[in-house]
Amino acid sequence: MARSSAVRLDVFVLADIRIGDVAAPCHAAMLEGLAKAGYRVGVLPVAPAEIKTDPYAIDATYCRLFEEGRLRRLAPGVQVECGLALGLDARLFSVPLGNVCSVKADHRVITLERPADFASMTPTQLECVAENTGEVLGGPVLWAPTTRIGRDALSYCVPHWPTTKTDWLPTVPSARISHREGTERARPTVGLGHHARARSGPWIVSVAAGARAFRAANVLWRLRAAPDADRPLWPQAAPVEVWPDDQIGFFEFLGKIDILANGTQAADDPCPVEVLCALQSGVVPFLEPAYRAVFAGTAIYGRSSEIAQRALEFHETPSLVADLRAGGKELIDKMFTAQAAVSRVRDLIGKPRDNPYAPAVHASPGKRVLFYSTNGIGLGHLTRQLAIARRLPAHLTPVFVSHSRAVDIVHRYGYSGEHLPYHSAYGERKEHWDVALTDALTAALDFYDPSALVFDGNVPFLGLMRAMDTRPDVARVWIRRAFWGANRDLDALDRGATFDLVVEPGELAWARDDGPTVAYRPQALLVPPVRLLDRNQMLDRQAACAQLGLDAEHVNVLVALGSGNNTDTSRMAARTLAHLHGRSGVGTTLAEWRIAGESTDLPAGVTRLTEYPFGKFLRAFDIAVAAAGYNTFTEHMAEGLPTVWVPNEHAQQDRQILRGRFAEANGLGCLVRHRADFGLKPALDRLLDPGTREVMRAAHAGIANHLAENGATGAGEAIASLCETAMVRVVPGRDDDEPQPDDPDVESDEVDDVSDSPA
């Protein structure tokens, strides 16, 4: 791809903008200060594997500044001319970044924020870091320790490296506490928790060991962490409150405590964002003694076993409380402000330049996203991908490679699509097919040169994994639907750690899921239910009936029981049509899948629906008889269509029975099982009753808020963010000529979603 002309900036920044084991809130606050001072700032997001983060949580300040246009978000491959090229966190350069950018800068600075990580490198690794920084930024750099502890680490490891004259102290994020509870309570309140979920360990004391500190009855403990994090056993001698971090933000949490017990070590993180926020908010931090070098007399220092004792002393000495809070505010206002950061930049490059920007189009060059899906039994995988692809920004072009025989459906939406036959199509052994798959996908990656590969399927094939290893710069996304059967494809779930983003499409019946993906849910980005069509993209009743040959004044019934490729649906379909045949004022339509076998002979008066997607025509119908595949279930629920749910219960399917049980238990439909088809006629008669349908539609109104947002939009936004981020990882090489052994964990046949968004 040809590069555009250079973007001209005052400050060009490489930074990890995700929250976690990185000072993203402090970085964003500093850059906001530079923007307010008139500097033109561009940010190229970098996602190194060495930095642990919540991969789906972008710092809120960064998001706001990008949206307001105060920071320019740049994409990999950009050319930059600037006064200052700034790398925020030396860990970004632990491995080669490749051709992520081309920089011509007057000054180049790299901050050192994790001294222990830096000091643990070998001399060879340190020189590699220096080489990587010079390669990316176009010349030698100055190293900027963010604290005295970091400066000591630099002096110890590489005394010959040039450093800035002063420490580049972090910038404190703006406090957002509207009300802080006072210390007039009967006991002091100690809070434990991190700003971000990915920070190492939620507690300063060992929960697993029993947390002796929680036995101090005169101290109130408030803990903030992930909902599934370890927690102290109940009951404790002291009152303990556990606040899930998805229910209370960090700044709101600070408003509920007097002391923040920070569990990090000074050598690991000498200036934690949590401590800066606490000092800014009038909360006193409890720190290990080594932090005195940074925070001096603004905190309480001691060992973790002393927390309760020191908290009581703090509570009983009002003058100490006042002194610590005043000292903390003074320290923040003097040393950790955005104004201080602006002064450092001004001393280096002077005042902002006049009109330093080239046209904005250079910030987001066009890129591709490769969507790769398995075959399935219906069209669920491909349809979910299509739903997301349609909601990507205009500068991202989707292309498709699929094992589905119906991949040509993407052509009508204007996208390129290729078919890769699955091994069962010609009886090839899976391990041999996997090798060929690696070659095919590698060729696709080389030809399309995508910024991201998006996989939808239960099993990330070994051939896929090997192909992705050939392109470590390509972002990796797995669309992983829930409701797996017990003990199914457990080895495949572990491969999720290889992906940069795992998206779990929302399920209305999520609370009934007890399958193996539940344990992996905290690692996934949960989005609302995904639909191909938004409500304004569906035909109205008159138009839909006209296309299907139905009378809009009749009670119309849709029969959509699936492709029948792994479960015989003919008996249930025949019984449904027979029960409805000849009824006055009732119209019937049978849906037929594009990938199904031979077409069914229909009784007189029954129409046929073959056009993709079926959901486009749902408003023609008053009731339905359908399989409970993901897309069909979501579409019917969003439209409020009373349905007799007939789940496909094949052993290799997703657990559609759970959706059917949810619908019946909540008055949203009826459940009939293939092995108990005697329940079909009573269920149909119930739904043919106008009163029953009215009650069910009212029940659907009660879940409308869960379906108000289409999860495809959120998934598309997350994928777009990855496409504008430089992915940095080291992938172990392998000798392509070396024979690959038969794999013991060969993937199971992909057979699922029998009625997912049919065609």
Side-chain angles (χ1 to χ4, degrees):
M1 180 174 61
R3 287 181 173 175
S4 59
S5 58
V7 178
R8 294 184 293 276
L9 303 167
D10 289 311
V11 182
F12 168 62
V13 180
L14 290 101
D16 191 336
I17 67 175
R18 304 168 297 176
I19 62 173
D21 187 23
V22 64
C26 296
H27 297 162
M30 177 188 69
L31 299 183
E32 182 173 19
L34 293 177
K36 286 182 178 179
Y39 290 97
R40 272 42 173 202
V41 183
V43 180
L44 173 58
V46 182
E50 286 74 16
I51 298 180
K52 296 179 180 179
T53 65
D54 181 344
Y56 326 124
I58 305 301
D59 178 80
T61 303
Y62 271 118
C63 291
R64 174 174 57 81
L65 294 174
F66 289 145
E67 184 177 346
E68 294 173 354
R70 299 169 72 182
L71 297 183
R72 178 70 62 192
R73 180 167 183 167
L74 307 174
V78 67
Q79 290 191 53
V80 177
E81 295 177 1
C82 60
L84 171 63
L86 179 60
L88 294 176
D89 199 327
R91 291 179 297 173
L92 298 181
F93 304 92
S94 297
V95 298
L97 272 68
N99 298 320
V100 297
C101 57
S102 176
V103 182
K104 183 179 180 181
D106 299 329
H107 301 273
R108 292 165 290 275
V109 174
I110 306 294
T111 63
L112 190 145
E113 308 188 25
R114 295 294 187 271
D117 288 350
F118 189 81
S120 66
M121 294 183 182
T122 66
T124 300
Q125 289 173 326
L126 290 170
E127 291 307 317
C128 286
V129 169
E131 184 71 20
N132 294 337
T133 58
E135 181 180 295
V136 173
L137 299 184
V141 304
L142 279 177
W143 296 88
T146 57
T147 61
R148 195 180 81 185
I149 297 173
R151 187 171 293 274
D152 290 344
L154 271 168
S155 298
Y156 170 77
C157 297
V158 282
H160 57 289
W161 285 12
T163 61
T164 55
K165 294 180 180 179
T166 60
D167 297 338
W168 281 46
L169 295 170
T171 300
V172 62
S174 300
R176 295 185 276 281
I177 297 178
S178 57
H179 171 71
R180 203 185 74 77
E181 298 178 5
T183 56
E184 58 273 6
R185 290 181 294 265
R187 16 169 111 82
T189 303
V190 179
L192 285 73
H194 287 306
H195 180 272
R197 186 173 295 182
R199 296 277 277 178
S200 56
W203 318 126
I204 189 174
V205 288
S206 170
V207 172
R212 287 186 304 164
F214 296 138
R215 298 171 188 168
N218 292 327
V219 176
L220 170 62
W221 301 88
R222 285 180 170 157
L223 284 56
R224 176 183 180 270
D228 61 341
D230 289 341
R231 57 182 64 192
L233 297 176
W234 187 89
Q236 292 284 340
V240 178
E241 299 175 4
V242 181
W243 292 76
D245 61 5
D246 59 355
Q247 300 296 319
I248 185 171
F250 183 71
F251 287 99
E252 184 183 356
F253 179 72
L254 286 177
K256 297 181 177 293
I257 62 177
D258 304 315
I259 297 172
L260 176 70
N262 183 69
T264 56
Q265 299 295 308
D268 294 329
D269 186 358
C271 199
V273 61
E274 294 88 351
V275 175
L276 294 178
C277 293
L279 293 172
Q280 174 82 339
S281 307
V283 175
V284 176
F286 180 93
L287 306 171
E288 66 142 333
Y291 275 108
R292 286 186 187 274
V294 180
F295 298 109
T298 64
I300 303 172
Y301 300 97
R303 298 185 299 271
S304 60
S305 60
E306 300 173 330
I307 299 176
Q309 176 187 345
R310 303 306 300 275
L312 291 172
E313 294 171 356
F314 167 86
H315 185 67
E316 294 169 359
T317 313
S319 59
L320 175 63
V321 175
D323 289 346
L324 289 173
R325 287 179 175 164
K329 290 286 290 182
E330 182 180 354
L331 180 70
I332 291 294
D333 294 341
K334 180 180 180 181
M335 304 185 66
F336 296 95
T337 62
Q339 291 78 10
V342 171
S343 296
R344 289 192 294 267
V345 172
R346 185 180 294 118
D347 291 343
L348 198 62
I349 66 172
K351 295 181 179 180
R353 301 175 180 181
D354 294 331
N355 190 27
Y357 264 119
V361 68
H362 298 309
S364 298
K367 295 179 179 294
R368 298 185 185 91
V369 178
L370 175 61
F371 288 88
Y372 166 58
S373 60
T374 56
N375 61 324
I377 288 301
L379 296 177
H381 301 304
L382 188 58
T383 295
R384 271 189 299 275
Q385 289 192 326
L386 186 56
I388 294 169
R390 297 181 67 207
R391 290 160 179 84
L392 290 176
H395 69 274
L396 293 177
T397 301
V399 293
F400 290 80
V401 172
S402 179
H403 299 303
S404 174
R405 289 175 288 155
V407 68
D408 63 294
I409 60 176
V410 306
H411 297 164
R412 70 183 65 183
Y413 292 91
Y415 306 136
S416 297
E418 299 183 34
H419 177 233
L420 289 180
Y422 199 48
H423 63 82
S424 60
Y426 35 78
E428 186 177 15
R429 289 183 61 183
K430 293 178 185 177
E431 56 267 33
H432 294 165
W433 173 83
D434 243 333
V435 174
L437 178 64
T438 298
D439 294 338
L441 291 179
T442 299
L445 288 169
D446 290 341
F447 178 77
Y448 290 114
D449 190 25
S451 297
L453 183 148
V454 182
F455 170 70
D456 192 309
N458 280 1
V459 178
F461 305 114
L462 292 173
L464 166 64
M465 309 301 286
R466 294 177 185 130
M468 292 193 303
D469 282 351
T470 68
R471 289 293 303 272
D473 59 314
V474 175
R476 307 166 180 182
V477 183
W478 182 7
I479 311 297
R480 189 188 68 204
R481 190 207 52 222
F483 283 14
W484 288 22
N487 300 318
R488 179 178 174 185
D489 297 323
L490 300 182
D491 292 333
L493 285 171
D494 291 332
R495 297 177 194 171
T498 307
F499 289 82
D500 303 301
L501 172 66
V502 177
V503 178
E504 182 173 310
E507 291 270 9
L508 289 171
W510 66 270
R512 295 173 179 265
D513 191 1
D514 58 358
T517 63
V518 173
Y520 292 79
R521 187 173 290 156
Q523 303 171 9
L525 172 64
L526 307 180
V527 299
V530 171
R531 305 190 304 276
L532 177 62
L533 302 176
D534 292 323
R535 294 183 61 83
N536 60 359
Q537 297 172 327
M538 301 170 64
L539 295 176
D540 62 31
R541 184 175 178 88
Q542 295 294 333
C545 287
Q547 287 200 32
L548 296 174
L550 296 171
D551 189 333
E553 301 301 320
H554 286 178
V555 175
N556 294 321
V557 184
L558 171 65
V559 183
L561 289 167
S563 66
N565 286 339
N566 72 344
T567 295
D568 184 6
T569 61
S570 59
R571 174 181 171 86
M572 189 69 73
R575 295 195 65 173
T576 301
L577 297 179
H579 190 63
L580 298 174
H581 183 67
R583 289 181 180 250
S584 177
V586 174
T588 308
T589 296
L590 179 70
E592 287 192 348
W593 271 243
R594 292 165 52 90
I595 62 174
E598 297 181 359
S599 182
T600 304
D601 292 331
L602 300 181
V606 177
T607 63
R608 197 185 308 270
L609 173 57
T610 59
E611 183 176 342
Y612 178 90
F614 294 170
K616 178 181 177 181
F617 300 93
L618 286 185
R619 289 176 182 165
F621 302 102
D622 301 279
I623 65 175
V625 180
Y630 180 88
N631 289 355
T632 297
F633 189 81
T634 301
E635 291 167 354
H636 286 214
M637 288 292 163
E639 190 55 29
L641 180 61
T643 301
V644 177
W645 294 109
V646 187
N648 183 333
E649 298 183 66
H650 190 283
Q652 292 178 310
Q653 292 291 128
D654 62 321
R655 298 185 66 198
Q656 297 184 13
I657 184 67
L658 301 181
R659 300 188 188 104
R661 287 171 177 163
F662 168 83
E664 186 167 69
N666 289 275
L668 303 167
C670 301
L671 171 63
V672 175
R673 306 176 75 166
H674 279 282
R675 67 187 185 206
D677 57 1
F678 51 81
L680 175 64
K681 293 181 180 179
L684 279 171
D685 290 339
R686 280 187 62 201
L687 267 61
L688 288 169
D689 175 61
T692 299
R693 294 200 301 275
E694 183 177 351
V695 170
M696 285 189 176
R697 288 195 179 273
H700 277 88
I703 63 169
N705 61 315
H706 299 293
L707 294 159
E709 183 180 351
N710 189 338
T713 300
E717 290 173 351
I719 293 169
S721 180
L722 281 178
C723 290
E724 296 172 355
T725 300
M727 313 308 300
V728 182
R729 64 181 126 242
V730 173
V731 178
R734 69 176 181 88
D735 187 349
D736 289 332
D737 295 329
E738 180 181 344
Q740 300 300 310
D742 290 351
D743 223 319
D745 59 343
V746 170
E747 297 83 354
S748 62
D749 287 320
E750 279 287 317
V751 284
D752 51 5
D753 294 2
V754 68
S755 57
D756 276 11
S757 211

